[in-house]
């Protein structure tokens, strides 16, 4: 019996922990293991690697997609038929797709096609996204570590700002990923648990009002002398238009966003005449494995292991979910939801987790367990050691 695993969409610092969970659990079950290089884009080109005899332990502490990811939607019957040719050729009986909203749509299409064809294929979605916007799960593997990275970076940058504001930069702006939901930008406020964080947080859930925003910046400067701002890339004007729309779409059909930090900084400079600095962590926030959350790493591995257990028991057409049972002590259980319910859906930051320019105690209660603990990678020559598959560069 043979397994095919693949990674898809924007990466995280713990997606490879899920890969390890899937592949190690499959090995324990006596299954032959294949991985798709660069997701279904690679599978369509028959770029498939047999990893049954590979050493995989290092995946648990390696960021990004060790086997390569992709941003491809299944839009044609030709592509679907080609995938089933590959499944048949390699005698694949279990397919695990590790991704977010769009990836679950792909997994759902393959599950439905398998039923239609009477093809013996079990399809399970393995969740991941730093955006934390998959519905029907309490949270997503990848979010806790990205939130920890953002919270730490904002704390450190704000301390820098606090040191220099008297005759230098008065405003610091960090642009944070998050197209539709503000989960990650909200993490910029988490540092207040330890005394310092973002003074203003701009979320996609709150329509951007330029006048109110500038008044808030001015009030903060007058009160404390400096202002630290976190802005989600997905903030919109009241009419629904993205503040940072770049005018074109990516391969998933999403509007390409970028530069909102500089847009916000420009407003502050022109209207308030304040010296402003902008930082864009970009890839760093999603692949910052050196500061990953222990909770996140362990849960990422467990959703992978759970996916295999479900598939070998005959389950198909579902995504693994995390159900929180309690905060103190923190306890979760692993459940499932139909892929059709998750595909292309978005979970927004609840109203009770934020107000106009900041986050609430409810948000702190929710996110604190997700950033707890550390599992550091091995270090050599003063630097982390990561697992690298050279085959990823040969597509």
């Amino acid at each position: 019996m043979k397994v095919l695993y693949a990674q898809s969409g924007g990466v995280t610092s713990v997606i490879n922990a899920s890969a390890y969970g899937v592949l190690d659990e499959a090995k324990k079950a006596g299954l032959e293991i294949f991985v798709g290089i660069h997701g279904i884009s690679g599978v369509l080109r028959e770029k498939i690697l047999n990893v049954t005899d590979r050493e995989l332990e290092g995946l648990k502490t390696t960021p990004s997609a060790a086997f390569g990811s992709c941003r491809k939607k299944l839009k044609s019957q030709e592509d679907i038929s080609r995938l089933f040719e590959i499944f048949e050729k390699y005698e694949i009986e279990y397919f695990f797709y590790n991704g977010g909203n769009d990836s679950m749509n792909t997994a759902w299409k393959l599950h439905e096609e398998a039923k239609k064809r009477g093809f013996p294929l079990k399809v399970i979605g393995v969740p991941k996204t730093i955006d934390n916007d998959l519905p029907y799960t309490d949270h997503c593997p990848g979010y806790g570590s990205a939130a920890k990275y953002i919270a730490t970076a904002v704390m450190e940058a704000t301390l820098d700002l606090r040191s220099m504001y008297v005759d230098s930069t008065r405003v610091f702006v960090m642009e944070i990923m998050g197209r539709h939901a503000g989960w990650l930008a909200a993490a910029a406020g988490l540092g207040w648990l330890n005394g310092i964080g973002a003074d203003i947080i701009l979320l996609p859930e709150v329509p951007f009002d330029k006048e109110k925003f500038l008044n808030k910046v001015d009030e903060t400067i007058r009160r404390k002398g400096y202002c630290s701002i976190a802005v989600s890339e997905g903030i919109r004007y009241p009419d629904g238009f993205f503040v940072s729309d770049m005018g074109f779409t990516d391969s998933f059909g999403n509007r390409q966003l970028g530069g909102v930090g500089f847009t916000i900084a420009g407003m502050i400079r022109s209207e308030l005449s304040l010296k402003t600095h902008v930082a864009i962590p970009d890839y760093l926030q999603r692949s910052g494995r050196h500061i990953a959350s222990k909770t996140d790493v362990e849960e990422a591995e467990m959703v992978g292991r759970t996916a295999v257990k479900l598939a070998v028991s005959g389950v198909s057409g579902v995504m693994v979910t995390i159900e929180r049972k309690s905060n103190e002590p923190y306890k979760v259980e692993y459940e499932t939801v139909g892929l059709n319910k998750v595909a292309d859906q978005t979970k927004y930051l609840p109203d009770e987790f934020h107000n106009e320019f900041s986050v609430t105690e409810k948000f702190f209660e929710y996110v604190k367990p997700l950033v707890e603990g550390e599992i550091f990678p091995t270090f050599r020559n003063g630097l982390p050691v990561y697992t690298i598959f050279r085959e990823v560069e040969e597509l």
Side-chain angles (χ1 to χ4, degrees), residues 352-387:
E352 64 180 3
F353 282 7
H354 69 91
N355 51 43
E356 190 169 23
F357 292 118
S358 61
V359 291
T360 65
E361 287 295 327
K362 286 284 188 180
F363 176 74
F364 291 153
E365 292 171 11
Y366 169 84
V367 78
K368 186 180 175 183
L370 309 185
V371 301
E372 287 284 0
E374 297 78 34
I375 298 180
F376 296 109
T378 299
F379 280 74
R380 187 174 66 235
N381 299 320
L383 299 170
V385 179
Y386 294 140
T387 296

Side-chain angles (χ1 to χ4, degrees), residues 178-180 202-214 231-246 257-268 270-271 356:
R179 174 176 300 275
H180 300 297
L202 300 178
L203 303 166
E205 288 84 356
V206 181
F208 178 69
D209 185 312
K210 181 179 175 181
E211 184 177 357
K212 284 186 178 180
F213 165 67
L214 290 173
V231 53
S232 171
E233 64 177 347
I235 62 169
R236 300 170 183 251
Y237 292 110
D239 61 8
F241 283 96
F242 289 110
V243 174
S244 62
D245 194 322
M246 297 179 71
L257 307 179
V260 71
F262 289 101
T263 300
I264 292 297
M267 293 177 187
I268 295 169
S270 64
E271 301 289 336
E356 190 169 23

Side-chain angles (χ1 to χ4, degrees), residues 105-121:
N105 184 49
T106 293
W108 172 248
K109 288 179 178 178
L110 294 176
H111 167 71
E112 288 294 289
E113 186 71 15
K115 287 198 302 181
K116 186 190 303 181
R117 291 170 177 252
F119 191 92
L121 180 72

Side-chain angles (χ1 to χ4, degrees), residues 163-184:
S163 300
M164 302 293 293
Y165 79 91
V166 171
D167 53 14
S168 184
T169 302
R170 304 290 293 277
V171 179
F172 171 74
V173 179
M174 181 177 284
E175 178 181 323
I176 299 171
M177 288 178 172
R179 174 176 300 275
H180 300 297
W183 293 97
L184 196 55

Side-chain angles (χ1 to χ4, degrees), residues 1-3 86-94 119:
M1 301 176 77
K2 300 177 182 179
V3 164
I86 299 296
F87 294 153
E88 185 171 8
K89 178 177 179 178
Y90 286 83
E91 300 177 325
I92 302 299
E93 296 185 44
Y94 305 107
F119 191 92

